[in-house]
Amino acid sequence: MNPACTPLPSPALRDGHSTQNMTASTRKSAVRTISKAKDISNSNGFEEVHKSKEMKLQELYGISVFNDAVQRQMLPRSVYQALRRTVESGAELDLEIADAVASAMKEWAIERGATHYTHWFQPMTGLTAEKHDSFLTPGGNGEPLMAFSGKELVRGEPDASSFPSGGIRATFEARGYTAWDPTSPAFLRETADGATLTIPTAFCSWTGEALDKKTPLLRSCEAIGTQAVRLLHLIGEQAVSRVYPTAGAEQEYFLIDREFYFLRPDLVSAGRTLVGAKPPKGQELDDHYFGAISHRVLAFMMEAEQELWKLGVPIKTRHNEVAPSQFEFAPYFEHISVAADHNMLTMEVLQDVAERHGLAALLHEKPFAGVNGSGKHLNWSLCDDLGHNLLDPGKTPHDNLKFILFLCAIIRAVDLHQDLLRASVAVAGNDHRLGANEAPPAIMSIFIGDNLQEVVDSLVEGRAPAQSEAANGDDLRLGVSALPDLPRDATDRNRTSPFAFTGNKFEFRAVASSQSVSYPSTILNTIVAESIDHLANEIEARSEASDRGAMIQEIVRETLSKHGRVLFTGDNYSGDWEAEAQKRGLLNLRTTPEALDYFASEANTALFDKYGVFSPRETASRSNVLYEKYIGRIHIEALALKELASTVVLPTAINWQGNLADSINATLSAAPAAEIGPQREYLEEVASVTGHLKAACDKLTVLCDLAQAKEKALALGDLAAWYCADVIAAMDAVRAEADHLEGLVDDETWPLPKYRELLFVH
Ligand code: ADP
Ligand code: MG
């Protein structure tokens, strides 16, 4: 209760140069500026935008990409064909061809204003990295020559020894090099001041060990491709010679005004708000989800789309998401490694374009407590070189059989490798979603829809499935006479499942919004490769069977009865599911350190090694990097919160406390008989919460000071667990007091933009 009282200005304010006063007016003036701002999208001096708007989408799309059409046009026929062979089947490219490609690339790029080229790679930071070199080579008589050789295209030596390697190399040891990935086309990054030819590459050590996220992804594509082709050949699809995973990553993000962003040191340092009381209105009214997109946001989205289209990123969908100020972009699907590159570009472009619009794009999984967090739904399927989606149930009996076999492989993979799948999305920010009070939960399960579930149940029980109303005559016949009809399940959706079948693809919803999709994709490819391998082995082992159809059906039945426990159609948010999952023996790894403890287990190390995805040393190094990243993130959050609470919230609260005390004293001296009981209670509450905040800050400080000693004493896993338990508990305690004070202290003097402003003022 805030009884009406007119506090006297505190001594500092009376002096007329209080920092309190300045910070408070900074916040208020940010609100004023933002509320007066018109659409500033076109006042940013970025002329390209205007040019873009005059172009049709068809003309714009891929205009900055050295894509197939450009290659075909610019390269001699034999060079073009050699390059295609490399792209499609990984055939080695000799230096002569590389020289010809480099020369065409250079010509194309320079014509478009490029002065530099860069090998673009994805180190284990989870971000992208680049080091630019100009084409310039001074000629003998001082004339500038523009040079770019095949050697420079194929291999770079950025050294780049400061990236995390998880122990694979010490900084004084072997250097890293980048190797051209011809499967992902080169592109131009343009700014108003010039352009850079950007060449997607893999990043390895001289010993050939992967130091990045792309190399293992490409290896996992090969593993799953090989096994899938093998299985297809076993069921008579000899015409297929190549299978690759496809993906489309839906990107969720928040947009807030940049004026606010810079007034929140927590957002700047940690990417999320570390304090902030719940606003009176959040997402309770469901009025943001799919709502009309505001003009300012739409201007931002359109420019971001144009930028991405130019780069050949097939952005298809844009909409408002559940939380206020939360949005989503979704692309059309592509080869998974290109999709991974394109998602990295999407995240970069969102942040760039936001800046030009006076906004900040927040990619963190949980920028704001109390409203929905952001994820990245990774839609995933398999495609063969004849253009068939292997997860499309199809129309013919043979296609149904194929579909059921791949479905079986995936169900088995997710059940058998829940730990890895969970570990693949284990990053600090995701702990606020998975296993916290938000979904999807940390329990890995699969949703396949009621109709398909009935088919699975009937296959296991060896009976005909009950016909569902949804079938509507659109039944699918399975290839084996004894197998029942499969009703096509087109509508059923379960938004609470971490891994859902959505008609002709799976949607892995537990992926973190800020995460590179390379990592979860690599894991998913690997575990499904192992499962397909297993099914193929089973079929081969029983090749003597007289009734091949019945034999395959039996393998399907065995697999589904063994691994069907991972299927769940109900509400994944409910407490009942947690209990039920425990009964079924499913893992529930609530936090990142718990999940990471499984990553480099003996079985997983062997699995990665067997499919050539990570060598045992690479697995160990990955595991280290993942722990280190988690520890680093929480450490930064702890320091940022400590500083914010001690130097911003606490002084504000103490000043307000002084104000109240002065006001009460002044009232008593002016009117000794005045009833000031409630005012005194108010002061006591402010004083008591302020005291609690100070104590909580002290505790957090002690832990931050302990960190170095802990680092020396503990193994990485234990150190991560310490941060997860002790440090996070201390941070939660600080936040609780700070948020309580936000509701007690005079709004005029509160320096941090509040949730109602961050989320609703734009
Ligand atoms: P949703 O209900 O999740 O919005 P959509 O049909 O709109 O489903 O598709 C969402 C995403 O799934 C898109 O990014 C799309 O490109 C992707 N997608 C569709 N088909 C496939 C496929 N065969 N492989 C991978 N991703 C796919
Ligand atoms: Mg979706």
Side-chain angles (χ1 to χ4, degrees):
M1 188 180 64
N2 282 22
C5 62
T6 332
L8 281 179
S10 70
L13 285 177
R14 272 178 249 140
D15 289 349
H17 40 64
S18 149
T19 48
Q20 275 291 305
N21 196 30
M22 277 170 58
T23 31
S25 57
T26 313
R27 172 177 148 242
K28 294 278 171 178
S29 90
V31 174
R32 268 196 302 278
T33 314
I34 296 162
S35 60
K36 281 199 203 111
K38 294 272 173 296
D39 179 2
I40 56 170
S41 54
N42 286 335
S43 58
N44 52 37
F46 198 73
E47 286 158 28
E48 277 305 306
V49 178
H50 295 284
K51 248 192 273 167
S52 301
K53 280 182 182 156
E54 283 154 23
M55 285 175 89
K56 294 192 181 78
L57 165 56
Q58 310 89 284
E59 296 164 347
L60 204 62
Y61 187 71
I63 197 168
S64 304
V65 186
F66 191 73
N67 57 20
D68 188 58
V70 179
Q71 291 166 17
R72 191 192 298 261
Q73 192 197 336
M74 292 193 67
L75 295 172
R77 203 176 146 74
S78 61
V79 173
Y80 171 76
Q81 281 167 343
L83 180 59
R84 279 333 292 169
R85 274 198 299 280
T86 300
V87 170
E88 272 153 26
S89 57
E92 216 168 292
L93 203 65
D94 61 40
L95 208 54
E96 222 171 283
I97 303 282
D99 271 330
V101 177
S103 158
M105 248 186 213
K106 181 189 71 181
E107 190 188 321
W108 173 82
I110 289 174
E111 205 171 277
R112 285 161 180 74
T115 51
H116 288 67
Y117 70 92
T118 180
H119 277 199
W120 186 66
F121 58 104
Q122 297 167 25
M124 288 190 257
T125 53
L127 305 170
T128 59
E130 54 195 36
K131 179 180 132 199
H132 300 198
D133 280 299
S134 75
F135 292 113
L136 182 71
T137 322
N141 49 6
E143 260 173 54
L145 294 176
M146 300 299 256
F148 183 53
S149 69
K151 226 173 107 211
E152 285 165 312
L153 165 65
V154 170
R155 173 171 291 192
E157 293 179 33
D159 184 12
S161 48
S162 294
F163 286 115
S165 74
I168 278 194
R169 52 178 202 158
T171 44
F172 56 85
E173 249 182 24
R175 291 170 304 171
Y177 73 90
T178 48
W180 179 34
D181 167 19
T183 62
S184 186
F187 54 90
L188 275 188
R189 293 293 311 260
E190 289 167 287
T191 69
D193 304 306
T196 307
L197 171 64
T198 307
I199 302 157
T201 58
F203 179 46
C204 300
S205 78
W206 280 109
T207 46
E209 277 159 320
L211 294 169
D212 68 344
K213 291 181 181 250
K214 168 166 267 185
T215 309
L217 175 60
L218 292 173
R219 293 174 182 164
S220 73
C221 291
E222 203 154 320
I224 196 170
T226 308
Q227 297 306 331
V229 168
R230 199 178 139 224
L231 183 63
L232 288 173
H233 287 184
L234 282 172
I235 59 168
E237 295 225 9
Q238 314 301 342
V240 173
S241 58
R242 195 172 149 252
V243 169
Y244 59 91
T246 51
E250 302 168 42
Q251 179 69 50
E252 292 181 343
Y253 60 96
F254 280 83
L255 285 178
I256 63 164
D257 196 280
R258 225 170 167 73
E259 295 252 355
F260 286 145
Y261 177 79
F262 287 116
L263 290 176
R264 294 286 314 211
D266 46 0
L267 280 179
V268 173
S269 306
R272 73 179 181 98
T273 56
L274 298 167
V275 299
K278 207 175 168 312
K281 177 181 183 294
Q283 64 192 43
E284 299 79 4
L285 303 179
D286 295 322
D287 48 0
H288 192 254
Y289 187 56
F290 282 11
I293 304 172
S294 78
H295 282 209
R296 184 173 182 197
V297 170
L298 196 56
F300 154 82
M301 286 177 165
M302 286 174 166
E303 191 180 328
E305 283 167 338
Q306 285 160 5
E307 285 282 294
L308 288 164
W309 286 337
K310 287 201 296 195
L311 294 167
V313 180
I315 296 295
K316 182 132 176 81
T317 309
R318 61 184 184 216
H319 62 81
N320 286 4
E321 257 300 332
V322 171
S325 287
Q326 191 187 27
F327 308 93
E328 177 180 307
F329 269 130
Y332 195 76
F333 66 96
E334 305 170 273
H335 185 295
I336 201 161
S337 87
V338 178
D341 283 357
H342 281 169
N343 182 249
M344 297 309 292
L345 279 179
T346 302
M347 291 195 282
E348 288 173 21
V349 167
L350 288 189
Q351 296 184 85
D352 262 15
V353 174
E355 194 178 333
R356 295 207 288 269
H357 285 249
L359 297 164
L362 308 178
L363 298 174
H364 193 283
E365 291 70 30
K366 195 73 174 181
F368 305 101
V371 295
N372 266 30
S374 297
K376 177 140 52 194
H377 295 175
L378 178 63
N379 295 273
W380 178 93
S381 189
L382 290 169
C383 185
D384 69 21
D385 54 350
L386 307 174
H388 302 131
N389 176 356
L390 301 183
L391 293 183
D392 194 335
K395 294 259 180 265
T396 68
H398 179 81
D399 283 348
N400 300 167
L401 169 72
K402 184 164 76 180
F403 167 71
I404 285 285
L405 271 175
F406 280 95
L407 181 69
C408 252
I410 293 164
I411 291 173
R412 180 184 171 279
V414 173
D415 182 41
L416 209 55
H417 305 288
Q418 300 158 45
D419 57 340
L420 268 186
L421 203 57
R422 172 64 182 90
S424 78
V425 294
V427 294
N430 229 6
D431 284 5
H432 300 281
R433 304 173 61 225
L434 318 178
N437 36 15
E438 193 171 325
I443 307 163
M444 293 294 116
S445 70
I446 303 184
F447 170 83
I448 53 172
D450 288 335
N451 294 333
L452 202 47
Q453 182 71 50
E454 169 57 12
V455 171
V456 166
D457 292 345
S458 65
L459 284 168
V460 170
E461 290 158 22
R463 60 172 172 82
Q467 288 297 320
S468 92
E469 288 170 33
N472 246 347
D474 189 18
D475 289 358
L476 305 164
R477 285 219 146 262
L478 285 168
V480 187
S481 57
L483 290 184
D485 288 347
L486 171 59
R488 186 189 279 271
D489 183 356
T491 51
D492 213 347
R493 286 278 209 267
N494 180 338
R495 292 283 167 198
T496 69
S497 176
F499 201 84
F501 182 67
T502 48
N504 59 1
K505 64 187 187 287
F506 274 95
E507 189 169 335
F508 186 20
R509 303 204 181 105
V511 180
S513 54
S514 68
Q515 202 183 357
S516 151
V517 296
S518 294
Y519 203 53
S521 301
T522 301
I523 305 284
L524 190 53
N525 292 345
T526 309
I527 64 176
V528 177
E530 186 274 338
S531 226
I532 299 173
D533 185 12
H534 169 84
L535 292 182
N537 289 345
E538 288 293 313
I539 294 176
E540 276 174 357
R542 303 180 201 190
S543 59
E544 304 292 295
S546 54
D547 183 343
R548 216 174 148 74
M551 177 268 282
I552 292 179
Q553 190 188 347
E554 179 53 20
I555 293 173
V556 165
R557 198 194 61 75
E558 285 171 18
T559 312
L560 292 176
S561 36
K562 199 157 163 202
H563 300 288
R565 64 171 185 166
V566 77
L567 299 174
F568 180 62
T569 43
D571 178 1
N572 290 255
Y573 299 6
S574 76
D576 292 354
W577 168 232
E578 238 180 87
E580 166 69 17
Q582 194 176 7
K583 253 196 258 156
R584 295 189 192 184
L586 299 177
L587 289 171
N588 186 2
L589 307 172
R590 288 188 187 79
T591 65
T592 294
E594 272 177 279
L596 293 184
D597 286 347
Y598 283 81
F599 179 75
S601 71
E602 217 171 294
N604 290 335
T605 304
L607 171 79
F608 288 131
D609 197 27
K610 179 170 179 191
Y611 293 96
V613 174
F614 294 126
S615 69
R617 237 163 79 89
E618 287 172 340
T619 301
S621 83
R622 258 32 185 211
S623 173
N624 290 343
V625 171
L626 291 167
Y627 280 127
E628 281 163 5
K629 254 185 84 176
Y630 175 81
I631 291 164
R633 283 235 161 249
I634 306 294
H635 190 69
I636 290 169
E637 286 189 356
L639 292 177
L641 178 59
K642 184 186 83 164
E643 189 179 312
L644 181 64
S646 335
T647 65
V648 178
V649 180
L650 204 55
T652 309
I654 288 174
N655 262 319
W656 181 235
Q657 185 185 307
N659 263 336
L660 289 178
D662 288 352
S663 161
I664 287 171
N665 284 339
T667 308
L668 280 179
S669 68
E675 268 290 338
I676 49 110
Q679 284 95 321
R680 190 171 271 139
E681 272 170 39
Y682 175 29
L683 170 61
E684 279 163 5
E685 192 181 355
V686 171
S688 134
V689 183
T690 306
H692 293 160
L693 176 65
K694 174 73 174 73
C697 281
D698 289 347
K699 193 151 178 232
L700 184 60
T701 306
V702 168
L703 291 182
C704 288
D705 294 345
L706 249 181
Q708 249 187 348
K710 288 276 178 194
E711 199 177 310
K712 287 208 180 87
L714 298 177
L716 273 179
D718 296 331
L719 184 62
W722 175 72
Y723 271 100
C724 185
D726 295 21
V727 178
I728 289 183
M731 286 170 59
D732 288 346
V734 170
R735 178 173 192 152
E737 306 303 341
D739 290 358
H740 190 170
L741 282 168
E742 191 183 315
L744 292 175
V745 172
D746 179 16
D747 186 64
E748 277 301 321
T749 63
W750 193 262
L752 298 168
K754 295 184 170 182
Y755 271 25
R756 64 160 193 266
E757 293 156 347
L758 293 167
L759 292 169
F760 292 101
V761 177
H762 23 69

